[in-house]
Amino acid sequence: MPAKRSGDTVPQRRDPVATRNKLLTAARLEFARHGFAGARVDEIAMRAGVNKQLVYHYFGDKDALYLAVLEWVYEDIREQERKLNLEGLPPEKAIRKLIEASFDHLAAHPDFIVLLNDENRGGARHVRGSTRLEAMHSPLVKSVSHILNEGVRAGVFRKGIDPVQLYISIAGLSYFFFSNTPTLSAIFGKDLSSRTARRARRRHVADLVLQSLRP
């Protein structure tokens, strides 16, 4: 075997997981900035530092990449909710913690709102094609249902609360605030993006929802 010369280079082995993650990160930024229609695969590949063909290799096409990003942002919030261990808490505390975590997630991830707005404008065309999202949300609905039932048994919640409707209300009360902060700030003449305003809104949403659940 010939001796290895000092100038020889060893070809680097491709890391598929790392490459895929770099593409997803770059795509999340590009789609959030420009929407599905305005985002360019060339820009995503350049931002990720990989060959454009790898986008098609790992994801198939732009639509599949966009769906992968949407599934990622949904999985982010579902993973955070799983870590709350809500079912081990008293019912009122569990619901308050869920509300606060949902609010804090939107505050920390403004791109989540931008991406969802874009997908809604498109009629949820990509989300409808997902085989993962419904399964991703089912455990959450079961968990909220369990907490509500525990609250009824403890006498702190009224009967007949639909867990899906409750979650939509929790999400909507926070989502609207963040998606409309600039216009709401202008209309009411106050900076609703400030830390003080956000704290007040967070507390209000939790108090409002919990009051609606009481007998």
Side-chain angles (χ1 to χ4, degrees), residues 95 98 134 137-146 148 160-172 213:
I95 294 296
L98 176 62
E134 186 174 352
H137 284 68
S138 293
L140 171 66
V141 174
K142 289 179 182 176
S143 177
V144 172
S145 182
H146 173 79
L148 290 172
I161 304 295
D162 184 320
V164 173
Q165 291 291 352
L166 174 60
Y167 190 78
I168 291 172
S169 294
I170 290 171
L213 299 179

Side-chain angles (χ1 to χ4, degrees), residues 19 34 46 51 96 126 134 152 166 175 190 213:
T19 301
H34 303 290
M46 184 176 73
N51 187 289
R96 183 175 289 276
H126 297 88
E134 186 174 352
V152 170
L166 174 60
Y175 189 96
K190 56 168 62 178
L213 299 179

